[in-house]
Amino acid sequence: MDEISYKLNAEELYYGMVDVAKTRLITKIFKILSMVLLGAMAFVTVVTMKSGSFNITTGYVITIVLALYGYFLPEISAKVQVPTIVKNKAPLSQQLKLNFYKTYFSLSGETFNHKINYQKLHSVVETDDFILLKTAEGSADILPKRAFSTDQLLKFKSILGAVEGLKVKLK
């Protein structure tokens, strides 16, 4: 058993939530559609400017705003949610303790304690700063890599990589 204790500050919580959102399929689809829409709007703008018939309409502005919103949705959502999470002392913002074993991990905070077998996880994703233990497509336990010693991180990644059937994306 290895034990790691940590608390996510507001900035880490923000970036962790953005990283979780960016791993979702729907977020990737929104980003692609938004880029296509922005590209189309840029093309229409150039063509209408060259023809001399360009004018800004309400529909044009709304389309650009919606495309930008779709592209930056993870960042906007996290920016709105983090202050509420911190204010309400939600589990993500509490002092947390992770214990990991060969077949399961336990995560406990001030108001909760859960134990999960690795095979019950949806997937595991490693980002530059976090290990995301995804319990479902849109939710995850956010583990900051800074909380692990080098040996603990290698051991944890080794355990995760050995779990049969688990979708694991490690760096």
Side-chain angles (χ1 to χ4, degrees):
M1 174 198 73
D2 281 273
E3 183 174 292
I4 286 129
S5 186
Y6 66 94
K7 183 173 180 165
L8 296 171
N9 62 38
E11 183 180 10
E12 286 177 317
L13 188 54
Y14 168 78
Y15 286 112
M17 290 177 67
V18 169
D19 284 349
V20 170
K22 285 181 177 181
T23 65
R24 296 183 66 200
L25 177 62
I26 192 71
T27 303
K28 293 174 184 174
I29 291 169
F30 267 105
K31 281 212 181 266
I32 291 168
L33 291 175
S34 295
M35 288 188 312
V36 169
L37 187 56
L38 285 170
M41 293 305 291
F43 175 76
V44 166
T45 301
V46 168
V47 168
T48 55
M49 285 179 104
K50 282 188 174 187
S51 70
S53 63
F54 177 74
N55 60 0
I56 296 177
T57 63
T58 306
Y60 179 85
V61 172
I62 290 172
T63 304
I64 296 289
V65 168
L66 286 176
L68 289 170
Y69 178 75
Y71 188 81
F72 292 108
L73 187 58
E75 291 84 355
I76 294 167
S77 296
K79 195 60 123 176
V80 169
Q81 292 174 2
V82 166
T84 304
I85 289 170
V86 172
K87 179 182 169 194
N88 294 338
K89 292 195 172 206
L92 280 174
S93 68
Q94 297 174 8
Q95 179 68 35
L96 302 173
K97 183 169 61 172
L98 170 75
N99 291 301
F100 64 91
Y101 307 84
K102 288 190 184 229
T103 58
Y104 70 95
F105 71 94
S106 67
L107 188 65
S108 58
E110 298 161 21
T111 61
F112 74 97
N113 184 9
H114 68 256
K115 175 179 155 182
I116 299 177
N117 186 308
Y118 297 120
Q119 290 184 325
K120 301 248 186 209
L121 289 172
H122 176 273
S123 59
V124 176
V125 178
E126 180 180 8
T127 67
D128 290 338
D129 299 316
F130 305 103
I131 301 284
L132 307 174
L133 302 176
K134 295 186 70 177
T135 52
E137 172 67 16
S139 64
D141 291 318
I142 302 167
L143 310 177
K145 289 180 13 184
R146 65 158 171 82
F148 291 83
S149 70
T150 304
D151 290 341
Q152 286 173 324
L153 186 58
L154 290 173
K155 183 177 180 182
F156 191 55
K157 288 167 68 170
S158 172
I159 290 170
L160 294 170
V163 177
E164 269 189 53
L166 180 61
K167 293 183 267 181
V168 179
K169 283 187 181 175
L170 300 174
K171 293 184 175 196

